[in-house]
Amino acid sequence: MLRASSSSSSLSSSISDIFHTNTSASDIVHGIVERIPLPTWAVYVLAAVGAVVFLLVVCCVCACCFRSRRKKRRQKPPEPLVNLRSPGGQSKGKLVQPGAGDVNSGASEQPRGKLLYSLEFNAALSELMVGVKQASGLKAMDVGGTSDPYVKVYLLPDKTKTCETKVLKNTLNATFNETFTFQISKANLMKSTAVLQVFDFDRFSKHDIIGELRLKLGQVDWNHVIEEWRDLNEPADMEEENLGEICFSLRYVPTSSKLTVVILEAKNLKSTDLDGSSG
């Protein structure tokens, strides 16, 4: 320990002596190298290794900064694209209806696919026929990069009847060709909204919704049969649904801190059984 400390002190004193003399930079470096207790070649090798390590650290820092900036640019959500034409460029309907708009549909972060549907109203029979034809380019919801799609159809605000298509396995381009009939008057039709929701079927967990369409039926020209492709939208967080009415009374007695709730009557409740009633 005494030898090491003495050699270290002598090295520092020698370096200070060199700096205090009027010598050139090369002489200073040469003097420092000669006084280091290592071979000259070993000193130069260590210096080269240190320079290489310093350059590698600088390159790594620059690369990390570049990747973080590039990642931020990629995370910027793209502007939604709207294209109402069919994938084949054709429509089988008599008229493509321009006025059937969507309600409460937000812009999705990535495409959810397209749905080909049809609408027809028979005023004499008070029947609304909603056709679910095809789905194209659906968003993959399963690990294997596919989905098991089916479509649920109902009307708001009543939602007294809900219809579902068959489930098609492992596909992002589905052909359903199913039509559902709803009994509804012309007056109620003008105040209703048709909801078509595309789900991914899962046998052991909750079905994931891929996207939906909400069509304001009061804006439709019912002089024609409507059949068109439309982009699926992100599902709405909340929806209006008429579940019925309940009559109740409340009575609170401050002296005894007692609240009494009396249920008097319920009417126009939503049907939950297959026969259209509820228990």
Side-chain angles (χ1 to χ4, degrees):
M1 293 295 293
L2 292 175
R3 291 180 182 178
S5 61
S6 61
S7 61
S8 175
S9 60
S10 62
L11 177 60
S12 60
S13 62
S14 300
I15 293 174
S16 62
D17 293 339
I18 291 173
F19 277 104
H20 282 85
T21 59
N22 295 326
T23 57
S24 62
S26 60
D27 294 336
I28 293 176
V29 174
H30 184 70
I32 294 175
V33 171
E34 286 184 349
R35 284 166 175 77
I36 294 177
L38 289 174
T40 303
W41 63 270
V43 175
Y44 285 109
V45 169
L46 291 176
V49 172
V52 171
V53 171
F54 177 75
L55 291 176
L56 290 176
V57 171
V58 172
C59 292
C60 291
V61 172
C62 294
C64 292
C65 294
F66 177 75
R67 288 180 180 178
S68 62
R69 290 181 180 179
R70 190 175 181 182
K71 185 176 181 181
K72 289 180 180 179
R73 290 179 181 178
R74 288 182 177 180
Q75 289 178 348
K76 184 178 179 180
E79 295 182 358
L81 300 178
V82 178
N83 183 9
L84 301 183
R85 297 182 61 187
S86 66
Q90 298 179 354
S91 177
K92 300 179 181 179
K94 299 178 182 178
L95 176 70
V96 175
Q97 174 67 24
D102 296 337
V103 179
N104 296 331
S105 56
S108 58
E109 295 182 356
Q110 76 177 86
R112 297 175 177 269
K114 298 173 179 289
L115 184 67
L116 176 62
Y117 69 93
S118 66
L119 295 174
E120 183 178 0
F121 181 68
N122 189 329
L125 300 177
S126 298
E127 289 182 348
L128 171 66
M129 287 162 284
V130 181
V132 180
K133 306 297 183 179
Q134 299 178 40
S136 175
L138 296 177
K139 180 180 177 181
M141 306 296 290
D142 297 336
V143 179
T146 61
S147 296
D148 301 327
Y150 72 94
V151 183
K152 182 183 295 186
V153 183
Y154 57 89
L155 302 180
L156 291 178
D158 293 336
K159 199 178 180 180
T160 56
K161 178 181 179 181
T162 301
C163 304
E164 295 181 0
T165 66
K166 57 182 177 294
V167 178
L168 300 181
K169 295 289 187 178
N170 301 323
T171 182
L172 301 179
N173 301 286
T175 300
F176 300 102
N177 286 331
E178 297 188 39
T179 302
F180 306 103
T181 302
F182 297 87
Q183 293 290 332
I184 185 171
S185 64
K186 185 65 176 293
N188 290 332
L189 182 71
M190 295 296 101
K191 300 181 294 183
S192 298
T193 300
V195 181
L196 290 78
Q197 295 179 321
V198 183
F199 284 87
D200 172 49
F201 176 82
D202 196 322
R203 186 179 299 275
F204 302 105
S205 64
K206 182 181 178 180
H207 301 174
D208 298 321
I209 183 169
I210 300 176
E212 71 175 16
L213 297 180
R214 291 176 177 255
L215 311 173
K216 295 178 66 175
L217 301 182
Q219 298 179 357
V220 176
D221 182 5
W222 296 108
N223 294 321
H224 306 276
V225 177
I226 295 91
E227 183 170 339
E228 67 175 346
W229 285 93
R230 190 176 289 272
D231 293 323
L232 291 174
N233 297 300
E234 183 179 357
D237 295 332
M238 298 179 63
E239 64 181 23
E240 298 180 359
E241 182 179 358
N242 186 4
L243 302 179
E245 302 176 15
I246 187 171
C247 180
F248 63 92
S249 67
L250 299 176
R251 181 185 179 188
Y252 179 68
V253 181
T255 56
S256 60
S257 299
K258 183 178 180 181
L259 174 66
T260 303
V261 181
V262 180
I263 307 299
L264 301 175
E265 182 184 2
K267 63 180 181 178
N268 299 326
L269 297 179
K270 175 186 174 183
S271 61
T272 57
D273 298 336
L274 296 178
D275 58 357
S277 62
S278 297

